[in-house]
Amino acid sequence: MTATQDRADQTGAGESAVTETRTINLIQAVTEAIAEEMERDSRVVLFGEDVGARGGVFMATAGLQAQFGKNRVFDTPLSEASIVGAAVGMAVRGLRPIAEIQFADYMGPGFDQIISQAAKIRYRSAGQFTAPMVIRTPSGGGVKGGHHHSQSPESYYTHTPGLKVVMPSTPYDAKGLLKAALRGEDPVIYFEPKRLYRAAKGEVPNHDYVVKLGEAAVRREGTDLSLIGYGGVMPDLERAADALAAEGVSVEVIDLRSLVPWDRDRVLTSVHKTGRAVLVSEAPRISNFMGEVAYVIQEQAFDVLTAPVGQVAGFDTPYPYVQDKVYLPGPNRIVAACVKALTY
Amino acid sequence: MIQPFTPEPIRYVAEDGTPVQPLPARFTPELLRELHALMIQAREFDRKLITLLRQGRTTFYAQSSGMEATQVGLARSIRVGHDWVWPYYRDHTLGLAMGVPMYELISQCLGTNSDTCRGRQMPHHFAAQAQNFVSISSSIASQVPPAAGNAMAQKYLGVDEITVCTFGDGATSEGDWHSGLNMAGAAQAPALFVCENNQWAISTSIREQTASETIHIKAKAYGMPGYYVDGNDIVAVMEVLTQVAEQIRGGGGPALVECLTYRVGSHSNADADAEKHYRTREEVEEWLGRDPITRVEKLLEHLGHPISAEERAELIARTHREVDEQVLRAEATGQPDWRIVFEDVYADLPDHLRQQEAFLRAEQTGGQA
Ligand SMILES: Cc1ncc(C[n+]2csc(CCOP(=O)(O)OP(=O)(O)O)c2C)c(N)n1
């Protein structure tokens, strides 16, 4: 599948495959998605620490308060429990809140509100009350931030039924997934890989589009091995695939984009084709979400596997400040895991 | 005895350096000069570290310029190395004034081999065992419940110590803050909570932070006295904190002290353009006029013991020399190697980490496991 076809697929049947596009970076994609959704739907409100006049610590919300006013874009007291809890209350009462948590590392104080309220209100009230809302937060390492500004806590949230969990790696997906999340009926944890904020540049169409949650993207097709990741590591997967291509190995690169729900079909189809899979994420290995992907592959594709499913993850240590490069699974480590699978 | 819940911040010295009430006898010109020197040292430390940041030799720095009286005053109100301190990330001036060696602070900021914390945390997150200065966590207000527990342990052990816990105004919005104060109040633990109210939490002003008129009145809800102090008046800070600390030491239960001060610089290097985005030059100028260092200089002048221009310049030059020397000394120790990733995760290395360590060793040494 080519990139253009892939995009055409994502925009859905009936959309033209050839559209006018612009090149933007990932953080601009986030800002645009919020602005366009606020324009489209007056129920959308945005709040968090420093999102207003300051425009967020990464400037993801720059200009939005000026554009939409303090009623719709506002700073909150420094309390993640209040931010998440208030978002739940607003959502129950009919708004579409976007709550920004300044760093994924600081979702801790809001954790109870996420797992006890946001995730469960639909189930426990049998749908009488629901909390459609989006919690946006920068996550992941590679910015010399030490453990409180570099963690990848997505697995805590994938482990909580009732939450949807997404992590884009391209501007196209960042915009489309955020719009889809805001138009959906469930609470969504939307992780933004902060090291790609400005590093990831790409085309987005000028027209309105969404990227449906739960569909993986095939970044390149291949026949020898399926290399599967999401978020901040995706450029490293591409680099690893380039290096292997130079050695004559054909790697299929898949970006999960959504973790809950995740695209089992896409992954299994690929593994049936290649017979080998290497899974990459930068979160610590134990209870890493990729463990679930590996389980499903061995359960559903055991017969076609020609090597054990490989996994490249962060170490089971807190994220260090110095030696942070050593912590992250770079292209070399990914290539090594692929070679191990290829030579099994 | 100092009164809690005063409508106005307690102060001893006006902005022009004249005492507004009699100075307690211990505030001799000698002591005032000593405090002044500590504040100058802290301010110049800020300046030099910001230079290091611009040179790319460190990656983060949170200034405390403007807040020196609060932090130096606190350091000089407690029994260093005896009492325990749960600080927050803006407290390097507190650390310096408590006698944490500058070399250690700089080593931590540079993440060198001489960092006693082994380069695990981002810059400006110290820990100093000799001073009972407990490791700083970035996560706002997360130190407050543990500080309550530290104080409960002191009560249980029957020791003559108190626990000091510091935080900014923003921290008082977090649930942890309320839980910690409530716990300490219920347990009547010997905890001294000190709010360094510099009026801004990044770009959020205290007025947007809380509808409460002041922070110290929140103490009432937790069954403890709350004190309101001019945090730029080092005499007031030291006098109030010393008396409150003694009261706590004597079994009086916990207390909250709000020091009203101002963060003159930006929140951190990530926020170097504060005035463009969220506050006015006029506001900053107004607070520059209440500068804690100038106030002591004016007080000494008023008392007939002025600090000469040469003396001041010498103090500044000495700090600059010292920082330069310690930076070179720290940098010469190099960076901790890959092993720091695995040490101190647990008391001993479990099997899965042993395997991961072997993997990394092989990778780092080119296959020689
Ligand atoms: C739980 C948590 N949420 C958000 C942050 C990001 N953050 C770092 S400093 C800061 C403002 C803190 O303000 P305040 O407590 O008043 O202390 P000050 O920096 O003004 O001294 C914020 C929001 C954090 N470190 N921890």
Side-chain angles (χ1 to χ4, degrees):
Chain A
M1 192 186 288
T2 68
T4 324
Q5 281 170 329
D6 184 33
R7 277 204 301 279
D9 285 359
Q10 290 158 13
T11 53
E15 293 268 14
S16 161
V18 183
T19 58
E20 300 220 358
T21 63
R22 283 163 305 122
T23 300
I24 58 174
N25 64 31
L26 198 147
I27 201 159
Q28 284 171 308
V30 169
T31 315
E32 285 186 11
I34 298 171
E36 287 173 24
E37 289 306 297
M38 291 190 80
E39 197 74 62
R40 201 184 62 85
D41 183 348
S42 65
R43 297 172 305 165
V44 177
V45 292
L46 166 76
F47 51 90
E49 291 153 20
D50 305 295
V51 300
R54 177 80 181 80
V57 292
F58 291 98
M59 309 306 285
T61 58
L64 295 175
Q65 189 176 66
Q67 193 178 345
F68 295 101
K70 285 190 172 180
N71 268 340
R72 294 185 69 191
V73 178
F74 53 93
D75 290 336
T76 63
L78 208 178
S79 168
E80 291 74 14
S82 309
I83 294 166
V84 176
V88 171
M90 288 180 198
V92 166
R93 189 58 191 83
L95 298 186
R96 291 280 162 147
I98 307 175
E100 175 175 306
I101 301 296
Q102 207 159 76
F103 285 88
D105 313 71
Y106 301 133
M107 285 163 79
F111 193 69
D112 181 49
Q113 288 298 323
I114 299 173
I115 66 165
S116 302
Q117 291 290 352
K120 302 213 171 60
I121 196 154
R122 175 190 294 278
Y123 192 76
R124 70 169 187 254
S125 71
Q128 297 179 87
F129 303 103
T130 63
M133 57 188 266
V134 175
I135 300 174
R136 292 180 35 243
T137 190
S139 78
V143 297
K144 265 280 184 193
H147 51 267
H148 278 129
H149 297 89
S150 301
Q151 294 169 102
S152 297
E154 55 270 17
S155 300
Y156 293 114
Y157 303 97
T158 60
H159 195 65
T160 301
L163 300 176
K164 290 185 173 173
V165 179
V166 302
M167 186 162 351
S169 76
T170 66
Y172 181 93
D173 289 348
K175 192 165 176 181
L177 284 168
L178 185 48
K179 283 171 167 254
L182 275 165
R183 296 179 197 181
E185 297 301 327
D186 292 303
V188 178
I189 315 289
Y190 180 91
F191 288 104
E192 300 169 8
K194 66 174 94 70
R195 72 172 173 280
L196 300 187
Y197 266 152
R198 288 171 213 286
K201 296 192 184 68
E203 286 183 22
V204 296
N206 288 338
H207 66 75
D208 184 42
Y209 70 99
V210 296
V211 174
K212 205 171 151 232
L213 272 55
E215 290 183 357
V218 179
R219 297 293 178 210
R220 73 168 80 184
E221 291 201 53
T223 50
D224 297 331
L225 181 141
S226 305
L227 190 51
I228 302 162
Y230 60 87
V233 297
M234 286 313 300
D236 291 332
L237 268 68
E238 301 267 8
R239 276 176 215 123
D242 284 342
L244 289 162
E247 304 292 322
V249 181
S250 165
V251 174
E252 181 144 301
V253 179
I254 295 178
D255 183 347
L256 286 181
R257 305 196 287 199
S258 286
L259 306 186
V260 177
W262 68 280
D263 198 342
R264 292 166 160 239
D265 290 348
R266 186 68 259 175
V267 167
L268 290 171
T269 303
S270 179
V271 175
H272 272 99
K273 181 165 64 166
T274 62
R276 296 181 184 90
V278 170
L279 315 178
V280 187
S281 101
E282 64 184 270
R285 178 179 299 259
I286 294 181
S287 302
N288 186 307
F289 177 74
M290 285 305 200
E292 169 66 11
V293 177
Y295 175 79
V296 169
I297 292 174
Q298 72 79 27
E299 184 191 51
Q300 305 285 326
F302 189 74
D303 293 345
V304 302
L305 285 177
T306 53
V309 176
Q311 195 181 354
V312 184
F315 297 114
D316 289 307
T317 74
Y319 194 103
Y321 171 67
V322 283
Q323 299 297 342
D324 64 329
K325 292 248 155 53
V326 154
Y327 187 90
L328 283 177
N332 292 346
R333 213 169 278 164
I334 298 169
V335 168
C338 292
V339 169
K340 195 170 163 192
L342 290 159
T343 55
Y344 180 73
Chain B
M1 196 57 235
I2 302 273
Q3 282 309 304
F5 303 116
T6 53
E8 293 299 323
I10 299 165
R11 57 157 56 172
Y12 281 81
V13 183
E15 267 124 46
D16 64 4
T18 50
V20 293
Q21 56 172 313
L23 295 189
R26 66 182 168 130
F27 290 94
T28 58
E30 289 69 41
L31 176 61
L32 291 170
R33 276 167 180 268
E34 204 182 311
L35 298 173
H36 175 262
L38 282 167
M39 292 197 284
I40 288 271
Q41 184 191 38
R43 176 138 328 159
E44 296 310 317
F45 185 83
D46 262 13
R47 282 211 182 117
K48 292 295 291 186
L49 268 283
I50 285 164
T51 309
L52 287 190
L53 193 64
R54 296 212 177 103
Q55 294 169 342
R57 287 151 92 182
T58 182
T59 59
F60 177 85
Y61 191 69
Q63 310 172 49
S64 57
S65 285
M67 301 165 65
E68 291 90 351
T70 294
Q71 293 189 16
V72 171
L74 170 57
R76 299 299 298 257
S77 302
I78 57 172
R79 299 192 198 167
V80 174
H82 179 81
D83 295 330
W84 283 63
V85 179
W86 289 79
Y88 86 118
Y89 60 82
R90 203 178 290 285
D91 273 336
H92 64 274
T93 292
L94 175 63
L96 271 176
M98 283 174 65
V100 178
M102 194 188 277
Y103 180 55
E104 282 183 20
L105 297 188
I106 286 175
S107 298
Q108 198 283 328
C109 282
L110 302 182
T112 52
N113 254 318
S114 48
D115 172 12
T116 52
C117 304
R118 311 285 294 133
R120 264 52 167 279
Q121 287 230 80
M122 66 188 280
H124 222 271
H125 287 63
F126 318 106
Q129 199 176 31
Q131 284 76 18
N132 296 334
F133 188 90
V134 180
S135 179
I136 296 171
S137 158
S138 303
S139 195
I140 304 279
S142 63
Q143 75 277 24
V144 183
N150 194 323
M152 289 160 78
Q154 291 167 330
K155 185 174 177 186
Y156 175 88
L157 295 169
V159 289
D160 172 36
E161 303 165 1
I162 67 165
T163 298
V164 175
C165 178
T166 64
F167 39 81
D169 41 299
T172 67
S173 294
E174 291 278 12
D176 277 352
W177 188 83
H178 297 272
S179 309
L181 265 75
N182 189 57
M183 187 80 163
Q188 283 299 292
L192 169 56
F193 298 102
V194 181
C195 178
E196 300 181 23
N197 178 2
N198 63 19
Q199 308 187 56
W200 289 92
I202 309 189
S203 70
T204 305
S205 75
I206 182 79
R207 290 280 67 89
E208 296 172 289
Q209 193 65 246
T210 175
S212 178
E213 208 169 302
T214 60
I215 300 295
H216 75 282
I217 58 162
K218 298 186 189 218
K220 203 157 230 165
Y222 302 115
M224 62 180 81
Y227 299 88
Y228 197 22
V229 185
D230 181 335
N232 283 11
D233 174 357
I234 196 160
V235 176
V237 172
M238 244 179 92
E239 192 52 29
V240 172
L241 284 174
T242 306
Q243 288 199 29
V244 173
E246 283 317 304
Q247 212 166 285
I248 294 170
R249 211 183 295 285
L256 169 65
V257 179
E258 172 182 6
C259 296
L260 183 68
T261 180
Y262 195 75
R263 184 194 86 210
V264 177
S266 56
H267 163 74
S268 74
N269 51 302
D271 172 49
D273 44 5
E275 281 152 37
K276 195 168 96 205
H277 289 295
Y278 57 83
R279 65 185 193 188
T280 61
R281 190 67 220 164
E282 292 73 56
E283 183 187 298
V284 178
E285 295 291 345
E286 187 187 328
W287 279 91
L288 283 172
R290 300 180 191 166
D291 187 85
I293 298 183
T294 319
R295 199 178 307 184
V296 173
E297 287 170 357
K298 287 185 175 156
L299 172 63
L300 278 162
E301 223 173 280
H302 177 87
L303 297 174
H305 293 269
I307 293 182
S308 70
E310 298 78 62
E311 202 178 336
R312 199 177 194 284
E314 166 49 28
L315 266 170
I316 291 173
R318 202 191 315 148
T319 306
H320 285 214
R321 273 199 309 274
E322 195 180 347
V323 176
D324 286 342
E325 277 163 27
Q326 307 304 345
V327 167
L328 291 180
R329 219 180 120 203
E331 281 178 341
T333 66
Q335 279 226 327
D337 72 13
W338 58 270
R339 284 177 192 82
I340 62 111
V341 174
F342 296 99
E343 293 159 1
D344 301 312
V345 182
Y346 299 100
D348 45 29
L349 208 61
D351 234 25
H352 70 284
L353 279 188
R354 206 175 290 283
Q355 278 171 23
Q356 291 177 15
E357 189 195 34
F359 166 85
L360 186 58
R361 183 184 306 121
E363 191 186 82
Q364 295 291 310
T365 56
Q368 264 76 66

